[in-house]
Amino acid sequence: METRKDSDKKFKGGVLIIGSLIWEEQDIRKNWRNQNLNMDEKILVSLPIRYGRISKSRNCTYSMIFSSECKSSEKIGKGYFIPFQEELTVKKILEQGKLLIDAEHHKNTNLEKFYWPWGCLGIAINPKINEEKSKELREEWERKFSNKFDPNQYRVEQENPIVSKMGVLDIGWQKELNDFDFVIGIATKPKLEFYPTPREIAIKMIVNKYDKYFNENKKWSIVTFQDVDIENELEKEVV
């Protein structure tokens, strides 16, 4: 009986989205979602996220990042898992990775590696998956990183980096994802000495006259443990 080659193995997975990738309507993002993702089967899942990076494209307000400090039940947030439209071979998973990177950058990047000056594309694999089945996927993903990749840039103070040297996301595996083999998602560098307080996050939005990112995330139920306090601070300043 002929055995199946590793390269022919298929995996069931999808993408983690914690911000504008799900709600912005630029053609490259909208086409990426429509052509590759099953939007009707999106799942709201618990994820370690927070506002923790100054984004120049968001009027220098704070945008969302993954943070290992937010893995506890008191600090866990909510974001989306959206499955791919079909099961994928390792080769196809890497191709989907490039498409996600392009959607994140709003353009075709032609990147060979899965990291760039302000972020990277990470993967998490279901811990219940047989190691022999996932071996090729892990090895091929690791090849998309190099010795130049520094995971310590994906943390603040003494927290653990949210991504490993091999590009593996340290997000914890949520029960909502148990029917899937893997997830991929964009991790961004916080580039901060300390995480901002809810007041600091709110003041940035008020002073820089930009709250669309925060409001759209809230509308889509993408939230952090600080959202209620951020809203209270916004109301104080408006009054």
Side-chain angles (χ1 to χ4, degrees), residues 2-28:
E2 185 179 355
T3 58
R4 197 182 203 189
K5 295 179 181 179
D6 283 352
S7 59
D8 292 332
K9 290 178 180 176
K10 291 189 176 182
F11 298 83
K12 187 178 180 183
V15 176
L16 298 177
I17 296 182
I18 59 172
S20 57
L21 275 172
I22 198 171
W23 48 259
E24 278 194 328
E25 290 297 316
Q26 286 95 338
D27 285 346
I28 190 169

Side-chain angles (χ1 to χ4, degrees), residues 51 54 60-62 192 194-208 226 229-230 233-234 237:
Y51 287 93
I54 295 290
C60 291
T61 57
Y62 287 100
L192 299 172
F194 306 98
Y195 282 123
T197 65
R199 179 165 179 77
E200 289 169 335
I201 295 167
I203 291 297
K204 282 284 187 186
M205 285 189 271
I206 294 166
V207 171
N208 297 343
Q226 293 178 309
D229 291 333
I230 293 169
E233 293 293 341
L234 287 171
E237 293 299 322

Side-chain angles (χ1 to χ4, degrees), residues 11-239:
F11 298 83
K12 187 178 180 183
V15 176
L16 298 177
I17 296 182
I18 59 172
S20 57
L21 275 172
I22 198 171
W23 48 259
E24 278 194 328
E25 290 297 316
Q26 286 95 338
D27 285 346
I28 190 169
R29 291 191 167 186
K30 184 165 60 175
N31 292 339
W32 167 72
R33 293 192 299 262
N34 292 339
Q35 294 170 13
N36 301 280
L37 305 181
N38 192 338
M39 296 297 294
D40 291 336
E41 294 188 10
K42 61 183 179 294
I43 305 171
L44 197 62
V45 297
S46 298
L47 294 172
I49 58 177
R50 70 190 307 155
Y51 287 93
R53 174 180 178 267
I54 295 290
S55 174
K56 291 182 180 179
S57 65
R58 304 288 172 193
N59 285 23
C60 291
T61 57
Y62 287 100
S63 59
M64 200 80 78
I65 65 167
F66 287 105
S67 167
S68 62
E69 189 184 81
C70 296
K71 291 171 67 176
S72 66
S73 58
E74 297 82 13
K75 291 187 174 182
I76 201 78
K78 291 287 185 179
Y80 281 97
F81 166 80
I82 307 177
F84 289 116
Q85 293 178 359
E86 59 184 5
E87 293 187 4
L88 304 170
T89 63
V90 171
K91 180 181 178 182
K92 290 291 185 181
I93 292 172
L94 299 180
E95 290 175 359
Q96 285 293 340
K98 289 185 176 182
L99 292 175
L100 172 51
I101 290 171
D102 289 350
E104 177 68 22
H105 284 78
H106 298 277
K107 64 181 181 180
N108 296 325
T109 60
N110 296 317
L111 287 174
E112 288 302 318
K113 297 297 182 181
F114 278 0
Y115 60 95
W116 49 92
W118 52 264
C120 73
L121 177 64
I123 191 170
I125 297 175
N126 190 330
K128 294 182 179 180
I129 295 294
N130 182 287
E131 283 194 19
E132 188 60 34
K133 178 182 178 181
S134 64
K135 180 181 178 183
E136 183 195 9
L137 175 56
R138 294 175 190 275
E139 290 176 347
E140 290 300 320
W141 196 268
E142 185 175 347
R143 288 193 180 97
K144 292 296 182 178
F145 292 78
S146 74
N147 291 332
K148 294 180 180 179
F149 178 71
D150 183 7
N152 287 315
Q153 294 180 337
Y154 294 81
R155 70 175 181 179
V156 171
E157 296 187 271
Q158 300 304 309
E159 71 174 339
N160 293 325
I162 196 65
V163 63
S164 76
K165 187 75 176 171
M166 291 76 72
V168 176
L169 291 170
D170 181 23
I171 57 171
W173 192 264
Q174 302 300 328
K175 62 182 181 180
E176 298 97 330
L177 304 177
N178 282 345
D179 290 336
F180 297 89
D181 300 322
F182 75 95
V183 298
I184 59 175
I186 301 290
T188 51
K189 300 176 183 178
K191 295 185 178 181
L192 299 172
E193 292 186 16
F194 306 98
Y195 282 123
T197 65
R199 179 165 179 77
E200 289 169 335
I201 295 167
I203 291 297
K204 282 284 187 186
M205 285 189 271
I206 294 166
V207 171
N208 297 343
K209 298 180 180 179
Y210 184 85
D211 58 5
K212 179 179 179 179
Y213 184 86
F214 179 77
N215 288 333
E216 286 293 334
N217 281 344
K218 186 174 63 173
K219 187 186 300 182
W220 281 81
S221 301
I222 299 172
V223 296
T224 76
F225 73 101
Q226 293 178 309
D227 274 35
V228 172
D229 291 333
I230 293 169
E231 287 185 292
N232 289 338
E233 293 293 341
L234 287 171
E235 290 174 4
K236 285 180 189 176
E237 293 299 322
V238 170
V239 173

